[in-house]
C-alpha cells in the first residue's frame, strides 16, 4: 500500500484544544495515516496554552509546523497530495479564497488550492454572525469553483468522519 500522507491544517476554531487530537489526529494515526500538521499562529498559541502540542507531536514523525522556514533551511514536510483544513475559521477561509498567504498554514493551503493535482477538503466552522457576513458565502463559492471540497456541518458534528471523506476523495482503499 502506498503511503497515506495527509496535510492537516488547523485554524483557531473553538474546541481545538479538546477535539483536535481526540477526533482527528489520533484517529488518523490509528488508520495508518502519516500527518503533516500545520497550525495557524493563533491555533498554535491556543494548543500550546492547552498543553496539546506534545500530544500532537507524538502522533507523527514530521514536525508540527506553524512558523515558516528560513530560506536556507530544508522543507520540513513532504508535499501531501491531500489536505484537510479543519476546523477552518471564517478568517482563514476568507484569506484562502483571496489567496492571502500571510502565515505558513495559508501558504501551504494556497499552493494546494492552486495545484489541480492536490485534493483539499475543508470543514468550515463559523457562527451565524460570521456566516451572515456577505463575504462568507462568496468565499466558499470561490473555493468550490477552484475545486475545493467543502464539508459543512454544525458545531457539534463529529470531526472523525472527515477522515472517511478524505479517504474517499483521495481514493485510499481500506487497509
Ligand atoms: C474561544 C474562541 C472560539 C472561536 N471559535 C471560532 C470558530 O469556531 N470559528 C471562527 O471562524 N472563529 C472563531 N473564533 C475567532 C477566531 O479565533 C479569530 O477570528 C482568529 O483571528 C482566527 O485566526 P486564524 O484563522 O488565523 O486561525 C474564536 C475565538 C475564540 C476566542
Amino acid at each position: 500500500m502506498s503511503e497515506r500522507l495527509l496535510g492537516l491544517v488547523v485554524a483557531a476554531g473553538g474546541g481545538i484544544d479538546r477535539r483536535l487530537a481526540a477526533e482527528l489526529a489520533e484517529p488518523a494515526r490509528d488508520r495508518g495515516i502519516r500527518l503533516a500538521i500545520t497550525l495557524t499562529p493563533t491555533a498554535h498559541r491556543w494548543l500550546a496554552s492547552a498543553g496539546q502540542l506534545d500530544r500532537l507531536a507524538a502522533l507523527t514523525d514530521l514536525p508540527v509546523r506553524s512558523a515558516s522556514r528560513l530560506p536556507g533551511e530544508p522543507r520540513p514536510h513532504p508535499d501531501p497530495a491531500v489536505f484537510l483544513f479543519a476546523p477552518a475559521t471564517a478568517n482563514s477561509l476568507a484569506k484562502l479564497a483571496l489567496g492571502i498567504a500571510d502565515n505558513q498554514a495559508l501558504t501551504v493551503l494556497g499552493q494546494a488550492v492552486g495545484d489541480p493535482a492536490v485534493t483539499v477538503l475543508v470543514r468550515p466552522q463559523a457562527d451565524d454572525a460570521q456566516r451572515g457576513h456577505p463575504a462568507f458565502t462568496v468565499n466558499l463559492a470561490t473555493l468550490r469553483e477552484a475545486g475545493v471540497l467543502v464539508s459543512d456541518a454544525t458545531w457539534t458534528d463529529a470531526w472523525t468522519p472527515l477522515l472517511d471523506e478524505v479517504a474517499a476523495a483521495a481514493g485510499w482503499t481500506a487497509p
Side-chain angles (χ1 to χ4, degrees):
M1 185 180 69
S2 61
E3 182 186 53
R4 299 167 176 216
L5 173 66
L6 176 64
L8 176 59
V9 180
V10 181
I16 57 170
D17 50 332
R18 292 173 288 104
R19 301 179 64 185
L20 178 61
E23 293 189 33
L24 280 181
E26 286 170 355
R29 186 274 318 271
D30 292 346
R31 295 174 188 209
I33 296 171
R34 187 183 188 204
L35 290 172
I37 301 174
T38 307
L39 310 172
T40 66
T42 305
H44 185 272
R45 190 163 64 87
W46 289 9
L47 291 166
S49 170
Q52 288 286 307
L53 291 179
D54 287 348
R55 182 176 174 187
L56 288 176
L59 298 170
T60 172
D61 63 309
L62 298 169
V64 177
R65 298 193 72 184
S66 178
S68 61
R69 67 184 171 95
L70 293 172
E73 290 177 340
R75 301 172 75 242
H77 287 173
D79 292 326
V82 190
F83 281 85
L84 172 60
F85 182 24
T89 56
N91 172 60
S92 284
L93 284 172
K95 292 201 281 189
L96 184 60
L98 284 173
I100 294 173
D102 63 348
N103 60 49
Q104 186 58 35
L106 286 167
T107 297
V108 293
L109 278 177
Q111 290 175 324
V113 169
D115 184 342
V118 177
T119 299
V120 180
L121 176 71
V122 305
R123 162 58 58 86
Q125 182 173 292
D127 64 20
D128 289 346
Q130 290 168 318
R131 289 170 184 270
H133 190 290
F136 186 85
T137 306
V138 175
N139 291 333
L140 286 188
T142 299
L143 292 170
R144 282 192 174 101
E145 279 171 29
V148 172
L149 305 172
V150 178
S151 175
D152 211 349
T154 67
W155 288 80
T156 52
D157 284 330
W159 293 353
T160 308
L162 287 167
L163 297 174
D164 296 325
E165 295 184 44
V166 163
W172 293 340
T173 52

